[in-house]
Amino acid sequence: MKIPAQFMHVGFFDLLCDALIQHTQAQQSENSRYRCNRFSRSSICASVLSIENCANALLQQIEVSPQTLNDLDRMPALSKIDMYLRVEHQLSGLDYGSNVVQKVKELLQIRNQFVHQKGTKIKTDIGKPEDGKENWILPMDLEGKLHKQVKIPKCSMFWSHNHAYEVLKTVFNFYNYLFSELVPLSEEELTPILMNRIQFKNYVMPNLFDEMQVELQEAESLGLKLKFFDAAPWKRI
């Protein structure tokens, strides 16, 4: 006998773990500037996308008409989270003046700049061309300016595993601020909001890869810990 059910793919933990594993890849590729940079970009992008994913997941919890939800969906990510806090929990919303929120706001701006690239001009001085046998070598010094809050280069070609780590630390701090300080989540509340899950009748079953749990636990050795993670119903006892 088959039971009608629904599988819900949220993708929040997928993106967070993507960011973690790409950071690891970048760290392991430290001796190759190109490989380190490409993995760092992937990690930073996944970190920022997890914020937008989280905002959309929270917005879905607000009970409004489909048309109103469609209108709210056009708001920026932080505005969606702020709306969730005000409507669902009767809180005063996010503290936009706090350092943790300011950093996330800047990350979202970085994401927009990265997606809508218009080119970056960097002043440099070039040296005398050198014969590299198969190719000519053109010596030059390049130095990128840093973003004010998260302290990573404005030009993505300079991103390294250290910058990917700073971004991970920023998003982890934000999630701890959001889900541990502002809205402490219980097991029952966490599962139907952020986790991939199977729903049937009145039951909700989390459906995540074991590797994700391992990766989140390993992240703790880097000082990256989700305070609400221990309360998750898919934690092994």
Side-chain angles (χ1 to χ4, degrees), residues 7-188:
F7 178 79
M8 182 67 179
H9 179 260
V10 180
F12 172 76
F13 281 100
D14 305 57
L15 288 167
L16 205 55
C17 290
D18 282 353
L20 287 169
I21 200 67
Q22 294 293 339
H23 165 260
T24 300
Q25 293 284 347
Q27 202 169 28
Q28 293 173 349
S29 304
E30 190 174 17
N31 293 329
S32 171
R33 183 176 299 178
Y34 171 75
R35 287 175 59 83
C36 180
N37 178 244
R38 73 186 310 188
F39 288 129
S40 299
R41 287 198 308 271
S42 297
S43 176
I44 290 171
C45 287
S47 288
V48 181
L49 286 177
S50 77
I51 298 170
E52 298 195 4
N53 179 284
C54 174
N56 290 331
L58 294 178
L59 190 64
Q60 295 297 319
Q61 305 305 307
I62 300 177
E63 294 185 8
V64 293
S65 69
Q67 180 57 51
T68 300
L69 187 62
N70 186 57
D71 292 338
L72 294 176
D73 193 46
R74 298 189 179 96
M75 296 191 304
L78 286 179
S79 296
K80 293 177 182 178
I81 296 173
D82 189 79
M83 177 69 71
Y84 165 78
L85 294 173
R86 293 174 184 274
V87 175
E88 288 297 299
H89 297 278
Q90 291 73 55
L91 298 175
S92 58
L94 294 170
D95 179 3
Y96 282 91
S98 69
N99 182 254
V100 65
V101 177
Q102 284 291 316
K103 284 187 174 183
V104 167
K105 182 179 179 180
E106 187 175 67
L107 278 182
L108 292 167
Q109 293 171 347
I110 292 171
R111 175 265 183 201
N112 292 336
Q113 293 167 4
F114 182 76
V115 172
H116 305 288
Q117 290 264 10
K118 296 181 180 178
T120 302
K121 296 180 180 179
I122 305 172
K123 292 184 179 180
T124 185
D125 294 316
I126 58 176
K128 182 179 179 180
E130 301 173 4
D131 187 357
K133 295 182 179 180
E134 294 185 2
N135 298 293
W136 284 94
I137 299 173
L138 187 64
M140 70 176 71
D141 292 320
L142 294 173
E143 184 176 346
K145 296 181 180 179
L146 300 180
H147 285 285
K148 182 178 179 180
Q149 297 291 336
V150 292
K151 306 299 183 184
I152 69 172
K154 292 186 176 182
C155 182
S156 61
M157 69 175 288
F158 296 120
W159 290 350
S160 71
H161 66 87
N162 291 320
H163 303 124
Y165 174 77
E166 286 303 315
V167 172
L168 276 166
K169 189 165 64 172
T170 295
V171 298
F172 269 68
N173 287 342
F174 178 72
Y175 295 137
N176 287 331
Y177 161 73
L178 180 59
F179 295 123
S180 293
E181 295 181 30
L182 293 182
V183 187
L185 288 176
S186 66
E187 294 182 5
E188 292 77 14

